[in-house]
Amino acid sequence: MRVLLVEDDAHTAAFIAKGLREDGHAVDHAADGKQGLFLASTEPFDAVVLDRMLPGLDGLTLLRTLRGAGNATPILLLTALGDTDHRVEGLRAGADDYLVKPFAYAELSARLDGIVRRNRREDGRESTRLHAGDLELDLLSREARRDGRRIELQPREFRLLQYLLRHAGQVVTRTMLLEAVWDYHFDPQTNVIDVHISRLRQKIDHGFAKPLLHTVRGAGYRLGE
Amino acid sequence: MSRALPSTSTRLALLVMGFFLASFVLIGAGVYVAVSTLLLHDARELARADAIALVDTYRDGGRTALLAELQQRIHGDEGDPDAVYALADAEGRALLGRLPDMRAPGPRGRWVEFVELAAEGAQAQRVIAFERRLPGGETLLVGQRLQSQDRLLALMQQAALLALLIAATLGALVGWLTSRWVARRLRSLDATAARVGAGELGLRVPLDRSGDAFDRVAQRFNAMLDRIEDLLGGVRHATDHIAHDLRTPLTRLRNRLEDLRQQPSGDAARHELERALADTDQLLQAFAALLRLARIEAQATDADAPELDLCALIDDAAELYAPVAAECGIRIAVATNEASVRGDRDQLFQLVVNLLDNALKHAPPGSEVELALDIAPDGVRLQVADHGPGIPEAERERVFDRFQRLEAHRGTPGIGLGLSLVRAIVRHHGGRIQLLDNAPGLRVQVMLPSP
């Protein structure tokens, strides 16, 4: 897809652009807010990666201007300030997701895919059945089946699986899971998420030849073939 | 402090009033003594002059002339109504009036003071009198009734008492007003100091531009606060910069290691890279935690934070940790009552999670970790208890310090910021935290103010 990167720090910009290109995306780079706003409002992009602190026109102003003009392009906001207040402020201004600098590229990549996916889904009708391979989740009857066999899930496991299926084929990070499934933004002391994942894995992969729930080292998890 | 303020100024007011009254009494007593001495002296002078005149009459005309003169004075209109006369012959028989029963006076005379027996219905009166022997052997007494002096002195006493009462009332009133004024001036300073201490660094003492001592103190105080705010701002700025400047190269390092790990290489190299990655992650986590800690410590307490259900939050934390606990064979026992507090949902969750994490780290397999929430008289009480080794009393305060890890726990994973973060969050929410003995184990008690 085509991504606009608005970032004044040359080093960070090069690092992100390199990663995005390796993932097969086309990247346009703007080094300040004015240029970023100009590009974002004149060219079609699938997603915008926007730094909050920019010379000239700051990221939040740019964000509000775009949203005010009815531009609904998914936007991922980058910031060096890891305060929850700033996070809420960024989301209120119209960002789809938020990432604190510095970050591992895997986290940015996962979140960017997440917001683009969410955005595309909102265009169409919400599906009540989610699939990945021979695993399916019925959101109406709240049932999970694999190869026709029913899988008993706890409410939280259901939410976890639902989120993974919505992002099937994409890497989701531990923090993404904590925010989306547990709805808290905090710093887990130990890898509590891993234990939940391994329990889920027991239920959906145990006894099947092909595992569906994969651990992506140094990044997170991916559900898919 | 605020409770001690009124008492301090009251003490001051009472002290001032006490000194004031004491000096008033002292001056009053002095004036009283001086006036009464003066009046007595006047009465004596009168009596003495009278006596001299009468002795002259005696010398000129003898006893007969004296008696006639005395009669004239007692019964005449010209006489002094307050004068008292008496005359007795050499054998002590009264010729006129009555002498007090005493030894006969010498020729040089002497002063006597007695109380005159009064007629029916009248008051007994003090008399000061001069007695002397006349050349013929008679004793002459010339005195002055002190009734007008006594009346004046009584009036003075009454006036003084009344003045004292009025002065005491006025003094108390002035003292009370002064103490109230001082207390009010100090209270605004005190209240501001308290709120600034709680984290509202932007607050300043209102000045009245009067330029008095209080106003000057308030100005100094404000200048001090400005300075503190500048310094704190500098520290925060520096922290942000350090975090930003150091975390960025660290992340770069991490990404490089990640890239390297993707390259085909030997198992040994891959293993080393994974360990290096884990170390980098821990460093990054420490930076993130330090930054968060600095932020929370610098945040002012938010009095209008949203109210949230602490009970649900604790259930969420227990649910999140249940699998981890199950892996260690530990049961999490949750005993909660409905309770809500005002605050930051994510921060409070972090608090509960950190305490739970600590408890699970130190609890022996097969034991129970208790999460309890109830409403105490002084707020909402959250308790996390384990049956682990506990913390010796001497070390309990230390565990809150940054990077402080007890010798016994050196082997466990963690960076030693968990409890510092917990304490910062508790303080930010206006609460208190205590480490208690669970016999055996540790019981952490957090008190949060009720909404």
Side-chain angles (χ1 to χ4, degrees):
Chain A
M1 55 185 180
R2 191 171 176 207
V3 181
L4 171 64
L5 171 63
V6 190
E7 167 63 74
D8 59 311
D9 178 60
H11 197 100
T12 313
F15 156 70
I16 296 173
K18 174 175 166 272
L20 288 171
R21 289 194 182 108
E22 279 174 5
D23 283 353
H25 305 307
V27 183
D28 290 49
H29 173 229
D32 65 57
K34 274 201 181 128
Q35 197 194 348
L37 182 60
F38 175 74
L39 279 174
S41 36
T42 53
E43 309 258 340
F45 287 100
D46 296 301
V48 181
V49 177
L50 173 64
D51 188 7
R52 191 192 150 127
M53 304 247 251
L54 290 168
L57 180 72
D58 92 294
L60 276 189
T61 316
L62 194 158
L63 186 56
R64 290 199 186 98
T65 314
L66 275 184
R67 293 295 187 239
N71 186 321
T73 311
I75 293 180
L76 174 65
L77 195 66
L78 306 180
T79 173
L81 308 164
D83 213 336
T84 41
D85 295 353
H86 296 291
R87 188 166 168 273
V88 170
E89 199 184 358
L91 295 176
R92 276 212 196 107
D96 295 87
D97 205 349
Y98 180 101
L99 191 53
V100 180
K101 276 190 196 174
F103 43 82
Y105 176 75
E107 184 86 24
L108 179 131
S109 162
R111 286 182 183 260
L112 199 59
D113 285 349
I115 61 175
V116 172
R117 171 79 58 107
R118 202 180 332 163
N119 197 55
R120 287 201 184 134
R121 210 182 47 237
E122 279 165 6
D123 295 344
R125 261 184 49 248
E126 183 76 44
S127 167
T128 58
R129 279 171 182 273
L130 299 171
H131 296 270
D134 53 357
L135 173 69
E136 68 169 63
L137 197 65
D138 187 329
L139 301 182
L140 293 178
S141 65
R142 312 213 35 100
E143 270 189 356
R145 288 176 182 279
R146 180 156 186 194
D147 199 16
R149 254 188 290 166
R150 208 173 145 205
I151 301 169
E152 287 297 330
L153 293 174
Q154 301 286 337
R156 188 74 63 182
E157 287 169 339
F158 188 92
R159 278 184 69 178
L160 187 56
L161 186 55
Q162 181 183 340
Y163 186 81
L164 287 164
L165 278 166
R166 282 218 193 286
H167 298 86
Q170 298 178 325
V171 176
V172 291
T173 65
R174 291 179 179 83
T175 31
M176 281 166 84
L177 285 174
L178 276 173
E179 281 168 28
V181 180
W182 275 270
D183 197 23
Y184 287 100
H185 183 80
F186 74 109
D187 198 12
Q189 298 287 300
T190 37
N191 271 337
V192 273
I193 296 293
D194 297 9
V195 190
H196 281 272
I197 291 283
S198 66
R199 288 193 157 196
L200 184 63
R201 188 178 277 138
Q202 273 288 325
K203 291 188 175 180
I204 64 172
D205 283 346
H206 192 69
F208 291 94
K210 269 208 311 196
L212 285 176
L213 187 45
H214 310 278
T215 301
V216 183
R217 301 217 54 145
Y221 306 98
R222 185 173 51 81
L223 188 81
E225 304 276 333
Chain B
M1 163 106 192
S2 62
R3 234 171 276 153
L5 270 182
S7 75
T8 311
S9 42
T10 308
R11 268 208 304 275
L12 188 72
L14 283 175
L15 200 72
V16 168
M17 202 177 100
F19 269 113
F20 175 72
L21 288 184
S23 50
F24 184 89
V25 166
L26 217 66
I27 292 170
V31 168
Y32 181 86
V33 169
V35 168
S36 66
T37 313
L38 195 76
L39 288 175
L40 202 64
H41 180 78
D42 280 358
R44 283 184 176 200
E45 281 304 304
L46 243 129
R48 189 197 302 272
D50 222 6
I52 288 168
L54 286 169
V55 169
D56 282 352
T57 310
Y58 177 87
R59 286 215 176 102
D60 293 347
R63 188 194 284 189
T64 335
L66 178 63
L67 270 172
E69 174 67 20
L70 287 175
Q71 293 288 4
Q72 163 69 30
R73 286 199 182 191
I74 293 169
H75 302 295
D77 300 337
E78 302 295 297
D80 177 358
D82 282 340
V84 177
Y85 304 102
L87 190 64
D89 63 12
E91 286 74 43
R93 281 187 298 271
L95 301 171
L96 181 140
R98 273 190 58 206
L99 287 174
D101 297 329
M102 283 187 238
R103 287 180 305 103
R108 301 208 31 227
R110 70 167 180 216
W111 288 100
V112 294
E113 222 176 299
F114 58 91
V115 176
E116 191 182 35
L117 289 176
E120 280 299 313
Q123 259 195 318
Q125 291 190 8
R126 280 196 316 136
V127 175
I128 178 106
F130 184 71
E131 265 185 332
R132 66 167 290 185
R133 175 91 55 94
L134 295 174
E138 302 90 341
T139 306
L140 171 68
L141 176 143
V142 181
Q144 275 284 320
R145 295 195 180 93
L146 293 172
Q147 62 168 351
S148 59
Q149 284 92 325
D150 282 354
R151 262 206 306 274
L152 181 65
L153 287 174
L155 195 69
M156 251 185 77
Q157 275 176 25
Q158 281 168 9
L161 264 177
L162 190 69
L164 192 67
L165 265 176
I166 290 170
T169 315
L170 265 176
L173 192 71
V174 168
W176 181 69
L177 285 174
T178 308
S179 79
R180 263 203 23 173
W181 179 75
V182 170
R184 190 174 53 80
R185 298 293 307 260
L186 282 178
R187 223 196 309 275
S188 75
L189 200 69
D190 179 45
T192 311
R195 285 176 62 188
V196 169
E200 291 182 70
L201 286 168
L203 220 61
R204 292 296 176 269
V205 187
L207 300 173
D208 58 2
R209 303 277 166 225
S210 63
D212 64 2
F214 288 105
D215 208 46
R216 282 204 306 280
V217 168
Q219 277 175 25
R220 286 249 185 284
F221 189 78
N222 285 351
M224 184 180 82
L225 286 178
D226 288 341
R227 183 89 187 107
I228 290 175
E229 205 176 19
D230 283 352
L231 288 171
L232 264 178
V235 168
R236 210 168 307 156
H237 197 69
T239 318
D240 277 353
H241 261 279
I242 289 169
H244 188 267
D245 294 355
L246 285 183
R247 282 166 81 201
T248 309
L250 258 180
T251 311
R252 246 179 259 153
L253 172 67
R254 192 192 182 283
N255 288 316
R256 290 223 172 89
L257 290 171
E258 186 67 45
D259 279 350
L260 273 176
R261 216 195 47 189
Q262 310 289 356
Q263 316 285 331
S265 61
D267 271 355
R270 179 180 297 266
H271 182 67
E272 282 307 307
L273 279 171
E274 268 163 18
R275 287 185 53 186
L277 264 173
D279 289 347
T280 326
D281 280 340
Q282 196 176 25
L283 273 172
L284 279 167
Q285 201 193 351
F287 267 124
L290 257 183
L291 265 178
R292 183 171 312 114
L293 183 58
R295 284 237 160 66
I296 292 172
E297 280 180 345
Q299 263 178 351
T301 309
D302 186 3
D304 7 315
E307 216 175 291
L308 52 98
D309 180 1
L310 202 53
C311 196
L313 191 138
I314 284 172
D315 288 342
D316 283 348
E319 189 261 350
L320 177 67
Y321 268 83
V324 175
E327 282 202 340
C328 318
I330 299 167
R331 213 175 75 78
I332 300 178
V334 182
T336 51
N337 292 327
E338 282 298 313
S340 52
V341 291
R342 280 189 188 288
D344 181 312
R345 188 165 169 273
D346 292 333
Q347 277 184 28
L348 288 168
F349 192 72
Q350 181 87 58
L351 176 144
V352 176
V353 160
N354 283 16
L355 290 178
L356 196 52
D357 204 85
N358 256 350
L360 289 173
K361 262 184 203 147
H362 302 126
S367 69
E368 205 172 64
V369 165
E370 292 142 43
L371 263 176
L373 177 70
D374 61 332
I375 297 181
D378 49 349
V380 176
R381 182 169 60 185
L382 161 72
Q383 295 189 91
V384 181
D386 64 63
H387 294 288
I391 299 178
E393 194 153 357
E395 296 189 315
R396 282 184 198 160
E397 228 10 70
R398 271 185 42 214
V399 297
F400 290 117
D401 295 341
R402 283 166 167 72
F403 298 114
Q404 189 58 255
R405 308 193 58 209
L406 299 178
E407 235 17 81
H409 309 153
R410 285 275 169 217
T412 55
I415 45 173
L417 285 173
L419 277 177
S420 317
L421 200 54
V422 164
R423 185 170 64 171
I425 293 168
V426 170
R427 283 187 177 168
H428 175 224
H429 285 81
R432 294 193 319 275
I433 184 164
Q434 276 178 299
L435 302 182
L436 308 167
D437 194 0
N438 200 29
L442 178 69
R443 173 180 295 272
V444 182
Q445 182 176 291
V446 174
M447 297 293 300
L448 293 169
S450 296

